[in-house]
Every structure is written in structure tokens, then in C-alpha cells.
Amino acid sequence: MYDCIIIGGGPAGLGAGLTLGRARRKVALFDDGTNRNRVTHESHGFITRDGIKPHEFKGIGLKELENYPNVSYFNKTIIEIGREGNEGNFIVRTRDNEEYVSEKLLLATGIQEMFTIESIRSFYGKSLFSCPYCDGWELRDKPLLILAEKEEHVLHMVKLIYNWSNDLMVLTNGKELSHEGMQELAKHNIEIKIEKIDELIGEAGYLKGVKLESGEIINRTQGFVAPTYYRPNYFAEKLGCEIDEKGRVMTDPRCRASQKNVYVAGETRKPIPSSLMIAAADGNKAAVSINTDLTEERF
Ligand SMILES: Cc1cc2nc3c(=O)[nH]c(=O)nc-3n(C[C@H](O)[C@H](O)[C@H](O)COP(=O)(O)OP(=O)(O)OC[C@H]3O[C@@H](n4cnc5c(N)ncnc54)[C@H](O)[C@@H]3O)c2cc1C
């Protein structure tokens, strides 16, 4: 019987595990290694860890948890979460059919990308990126592609990324832009190709060019894309938690979901993708909330 089960060992889950461990709570943390940034070779912007490899970041986090024998880490996938009665303890089941029980539950399972062109995935994190704060510096002043289909995404990304490089070419994969949108890009000498994309050319994650339906090949090898996002599991829905129209799990400002003893941290509860630092801080916040509630309930 654990005080808290944490599902997810990204920065949110690890941050929560550390804080709850130090608060002497008995914690089980589950992670199956599908953290969103696993596809990239370097992470940036986390002060003291700028440029670290994602697996090293996770390795340091897990090593620090080893200092707290009351925290157990399991490299396992959770496939089901039930409750003893309506508001009772949580029973968490792993893919290999083990069951673990806890009083509190923290969902820190993150989000995942969806791409309208599936082959973008093979280049994501090495040649194509979504967050200029994470990877813009490394791409500064280079000729870049912007792959985005909706006009609002095109204009948002162009304006933002322009400060890192003003040599931009927009590919909309067959989606028209408004006259005003086209003018806005023309004003800044940004070329736009409305044509559908036939193929992304390259290997081992490194883009060599993009072939359009006409056969024209765009010889640009790096750039930014605008994915959409989804949560990879429906634990919160199944537990009866409120979800908003954007698909995020609704919480109060202290990370408490609408169902008793369910807490949420990291990108699972954010309206837009964030960063390692914001997710880690959110994990810390959720852990303080869980510990405060346990303290009040048990003192
Ligand atoms: C290509 C790329 C580059 C990035 N670069 C940077 C960067 O340079 N700097 C930066 O600050 N941010 C970067 N990010 C963003 C960063 O990865 C996220 O903001 C951060 O990982 C969110 O943390 P999280 O803890 O909410 O979720 P995640 O890190 O995604 O962690 C969620 C965890 O939950 C686990 N999980 C999910 N479901 C289950 C289950 N059923 N059972 C067991 N475990 C489960 C997964 O294994 C995963 O480890 C990048 C993202 C991408 C895609």
C-alpha cells in the first residue's frame, strides 16, 4: 500500500517523486520511457542542464530518487486504473498483470504529437522541431522550412521563428492562405509553397529535402513543424475527471482533478505544450498539494 502512485517519469513525475520522497511519503513511480522528447538528442533551456541528452536527464532524476528508499521506481506500463468503491484507494494494473494500491494518484503521463504527414515523425527531433525556445538557437540564421497547414499556425510560427532566422520558406501541404496572410509573408520576403507535399527525403532522421507533388525538390534540411497533440491514455476520463474542450484534464490551481485524490501534473494538464522546467515545477507543485492533503487528513 503506497501513499501515492505516480504514473509518468518525465520531469513532472520525477519532480513530484523527489518532493514526495523527501516528505517521507511512500511512493511508487511508473514509467515506460515514452517521454515526448525521447526523439531528440539534446534538451535546452533547463538551467544547469542546458544541452543535456534526454536519457541523461532522466537518468540523473532516477539516480536522485535512489537516495529515498521510500520511493520505488518501476519501468512498467500501466494499462488500467480502478478504485475500491467510489472514492476509495486506487488499484493500478501493469501490462504484466501486477497490481499496486495507493491512497493518492498523480497522473503525469504527458502528451504526444500527431502529424498530418506521418513521415514527419522520422525527422522529428533531429531535423524538424516544434519549439524554437528548445531548438531555435542551434538553427539560428539557417535557411529553414516552416511546415504548417492552418493559417493561424503559419503566421504564429513565422513571426516567432523570424527572430532566429529570417530565411524562411513556408510549406502548407495544399492548404490555401488568405490574401492578407500571403501579403503578410510577402512583406517579409518569405516564400510560400501551397502545393501538396509528395515526400520527405532523407535518412536516419536527417532531412535532405522535400519533394512537392509537381516533382520540385526543396533543398532545405531543417525547420519547424506545427503538430497537434493528444493525451496517450484515458485514465482521467475513466476515473470520471472533468476534461476541457482542448482535451486537458481540469484541475484546481493546486493540481487537484475533479475526482477526490486524483492529481495531475505536467503537460497532461496544460492547454499547450510547455517545457522540461515548467513540467518539473508542476510536479513539485502537485507533490506539495498531495503532501498537504495527506498531512491535513492524517494529523
Ligand atoms: C523534439 C522535442 C524536443 C524538445 N526539446 C526540449 C528542450 O530542449 N527543452 C525543454 O525544456 N523541453 C523540450 N521539449 C519538451 C519537453 O519534452 C516536454 O515539455 C516535457 O517532456 C513534458 O514533461 P511531462 O513530464 O509533462 O511529460 P513527458 O516528459 O512526456 O513524460 C511523461 C511520461 O509518462 C510516461 N507514461 C505515459 N503513459 C504511461 C503509462 N500508461 N504507463 C507508464 N508510464 C507512462 C511516459 O513514459 C513518459 O516518460 C521537447 C519536446 C520534443 C518533442
Side-chain angles (χ1 to χ4, degrees):
M1 175 75 189
Y2 292 91
D3 294 320
C4 183
I5 285 178
I6 301 173
I7 307 177
L14 289 171
L18 182 60
T19 304
L20 283 172
R22 292 184 51 77
R24 309 191 69 188
R25 299 302 177 185
K26 194 172 172 208
V27 173
L29 188 151
F30 293 87
D31 187 74
D32 65 2
T34 54
N35 42 302
R36 198 157 75 75
N37 63 344
R38 68 192 181 283
V39 294
T40 196
H41 37 214
E42 274 186 5
S43 294
H44 305 102
F46 195 107
I47 192 82
T48 77
R49 294 284 180 265
D50 193 34
I52 193 167
K53 295 187 184 341
H55 72 270
E56 278 173 11
F57 182 91
K58 188 170 261 190
I60 294 171
L62 290 174
K63 186 90 196 132
E64 286 177 353
L65 292 185
E66 285 175 11
N67 294 329
Y68 306 94
N70 45 320
V71 179
S72 306
Y73 165 68
F74 301 93
N75 181 7
K76 289 175 187 284
T77 302
I78 302 303
I79 55 161
E80 202 178 311
I81 305 174
R83 289 193 93 154
E84 292 169 343
N86 234 355
E87 294 192 341
N89 292 332
F90 297 95
I91 306 160
V92 160
R93 192 151 66 82
T94 62
R95 193 181 296 289
D96 50 4
N97 225 6
E98 289 174 356
E99 284 191 348
Y100 297 79
V101 181
S102 70
E103 191 174 330
K104 307 276 185 195
L105 177 74
L106 175 60
L107 299 175
T109 46
I111 53 173
Q112 296 289 332
E113 288 80 359
M114 285 187 290
F115 300 103
T116 50
I117 303 171
E118 195 44 39
S119 59
I120 287 178
R121 202 175 290 285
S122 341
F123 299 98
Y124 192 51
K126 289 199 178 72
S127 304
L128 300 173
F129 304 87
S130 55
C131 164
Y133 296 101
C134 303
D135 299 291
W137 175 262
E138 284 65 34
L139 303 188
R140 66 194 184 281
D141 296 327
K142 293 192 175 166
L144 299 180
L145 292 164
I146 307 278
L147 271 79
E149 300 188 4
K150 285 190 182 158
E151 178 156 335
E152 65 197 90
H153 292 160
V154 170
L155 294 177
H156 168 73
M157 289 181 80
V158 161
K159 282 182 198 168
L160 182 64
I161 292 160
Y162 197 76
N163 190 47
W164 278 277
S165 170
N166 57 23
D167 185 354
L168 302 177
M169 181 189 279
V170 172
L171 304 184
T172 67
N173 189 32
K175 302 289 181 319
E176 298 285 341
L177 294 194
S178 69
H179 179 63
E180 295 74 31
M182 297 288 276
Q183 275 190 327
E184 187 76 12
L185 298 182
K187 249 197 293 181
H188 294 87
N189 294 323
I190 294 168
E191 203 177 337
I192 170 160
K193 302 272 184 189
I194 303 289
E195 228 176 292
K196 261 188 146 335
I197 291 171
D198 183 44
E199 193 191 349
L200 273 68
I201 307 161
E203 56 189 58
Y206 296 98
L207 189 67
K208 290 188 178 147
V210 178
K211 189 172 167 206
L212 303 179
E213 264 190 355
S214 62
E216 183 187 355
I217 293 180
I218 310 292
N219 288 312
R220 293 190 174 221
T221 58
Q222 289 173 310
F224 287 90
V225 293
T228 51
Y229 297 89
Y230 72 102
R231 273 181 301 109
N233 57 58
Y234 293 93
F235 297 140
E237 280 92 331
K238 286 185 193 143
L239 290 165
C241 300
E242 271 181 59
I243 314 289
D244 78 0
E245 70 289 346
K246 289 198 163 118
R248 72 181 153 159
V249 187
M250 302 283 282
T251 57
D252 71 5
R254 305 291 308 281
C255 305
R256 297 184 188 96
S258 58
Q259 289 292 323
K260 192 169 163 40
N261 289 336
V262 181
Y263 301 76
V264 187
E267 289 186 327
T268 300
R269 75 177 197 106
K270 300 282 176 196
I272 50 169
S274 62
S275 68
L276 298 169
M277 194 145 238
I278 292 175
D282 213 45
N284 174 279
K285 188 179 189 182
V288 170
S289 202
I290 292 166
N291 190 56
T292 305
D293 291 348
L294 283 170
T295 304
E296 288 299 323
E297 288 154 13
R298 291 181 184 175
F299 185 70

